Amino acid sequence: GAVVSQHPSWVICKSGTSVKIECRSLDFQATTMFWYRQFPKQSLMLMATSNEGSKATYEQGVEKDKFLINHASLTLSTLTVTSAHPEDSSFYICSAGEVGGASTEAFFGQGTRLTVV
Amino acid sequence: AQSVTQLDSQVPVFEEAPVELRCNYSSSVSVYLFWYVQYPNQGLQLLLKYLSGSTLVESINGFEAEFNKSQTSFHLRKPSVHISDTAEYFCAVYSGGSQGNLIFGKGTKLSVKP
């Protein structure tokens, strides 16, 4: 299947700083990518849909000014957690590949574990 | 709105025993159904999927799932588990629309003991 690479796999940052997470589709072009957040012992919750060349679409309750998404090319989307706080500590996962589009499955990155101290 | 219910948050089982991880969904339209597996500190990997056709789908590592439309279920089964099957398993549903996002269940942690 297609490969989605996410970087970094883990990061520790100080409270108040910003962290950027990259999501790359290595062998296919993705006009749409998705960012999920996974809390401990809970499921993945969709945060936002990243659209190449246009603004991201955020789910209800997700602060767009805090979680900045940029999808500048067909193979790269970035999520920046601005002014991070300990409650932002979580596992963030991106995916690409539209189930209802050309592909029939979503391909996931390996995830980024963010710890804010 | 679609939703996915995984009835068991944890399933402990001994090696070589059979296992069933339950998944029920709700949707008013036709759906695609998926099982993803997440090993510790890793992302999600597709285990198997149902799109159309045969209601019984299989993975390469011995798992199978059966789509039951009348019961709105997509339970995952394996007749004999291995230690290496220890992971968290997520059921997910996609029911159409221009967005390709999936709706996930809360996951079932499968622990295989020797």
Side-chain angles (χ1 to χ4, degrees):
Chain A
V3 178
V4 174
S5 176
Q6 197 171 332
H7 178 80
S9 56
W10 62 271
V11 59
I12 301 174
C13 71
K14 291 185 178 180
S15 185
T17 62
S18 295
V19 174
K20 179 184 286 187
I21 303 170
E22 293 186 349
C23 180
R24 295 181 183 272
S25 56
L26 297 186
D27 51 2
F28 68 103
Q29 294 182 331
T31 55
T32 305
M33 291 185 177
F34 303 93
W35 287 96
Y36 293 84
R37 181 174 180 176
Q38 184 181 26
F39 291 99
K41 299 184 179 182
Q42 295 191 31
S43 185
L44 285 76
M45 298 299 294
L46 180 68
M47 297 175 63
T49 302
S50 173
N51 305 298
E52 188 270 334
S54 64
K55 292 182 179 180
T57 304
Y58 290 82
E59 295 300 300
Q60 190 174 8
V62 178
E63 299 176 60
K64 61 181 181 180
D65 294 330
K66 181 169 186 60
F67 298 98
L68 300 179
I69 291 173
N70 183 274
H71 195 151
S73 76
L74 289 171
T75 59
L76 174 65
S77 174
T78 61
L79 169 69
T80 302
V81 183
T82 63
S83 186
H85 291 285
E87 57 265 30
D88 298 325
S89 298
S90 190
F91 196 57
Y92 294 86
I93 303 178
C94 70
S95 76
E98 296 182 46
V99 176
S103 67
T104 55
E105 65 180 89
F107 303 98
F108 287 84
Q110 67 268 40
T112 297
R113 184 164 298 284
L114 170 64
T115 302
V116 184
V117 297
Chain B
Q2 302 81 39
S3 67
V4 178
T5 302
Q6 289 182 248
L7 298 170
D8 306 300
S9 59
Q10 296 187 56
V11 173
V13 65
F14 287 105
E15 193 173 20
E16 298 184 3
V19 71
E20 178 180 80
L21 307 183
R22 295 179 291 172
C23 172
N24 288 87
Y25 69 93
S26 68
S27 176
S28 58
V29 299
S30 297
V31 297
Y32 295 160
L33 293 159
F34 303 81
W35 276 99
Y36 282 86
V37 58
Q38 185 179 32
Y39 297 101
N41 297 314
Q42 294 187 29
L44 276 73
Q45 301 173 33
L46 180 67
L47 191 59
L48 45 75
K49 61 185 176 183
Y50 168 79
L51 305 178
S52 64
S54 174
T55 56
L56 184 66
V57 291
E58 300 176 348
S59 72
I60 59 173
N61 57 353
F63 282 95
E64 65 178 31
E66 186 163 18
F67 169 56
N68 189 318
K69 187 175 182 179
S70 62
Q71 297 186 6
T72 60
S73 68
F74 191 55
H75 301 331
L76 181 70
R77 303 184 184 94
K78 188 170 184 179
S80 177
V81 294
H82 300 289
I83 298 287
S84 59
D85 293 323
T86 295
E88 189 139 21
Y89 293 79
F90 291 94
C91 182
V93 63
Y94 170 77
S95 58
S98 58
Q99 304 289 353
N101 59 287
L102 298 170
I103 305 299
F104 287 88
K106 290 189 175 182
T108 298
K109 187 171 184 178
L110 175 64
S111 299
V112 182
K113 303 177 180 180

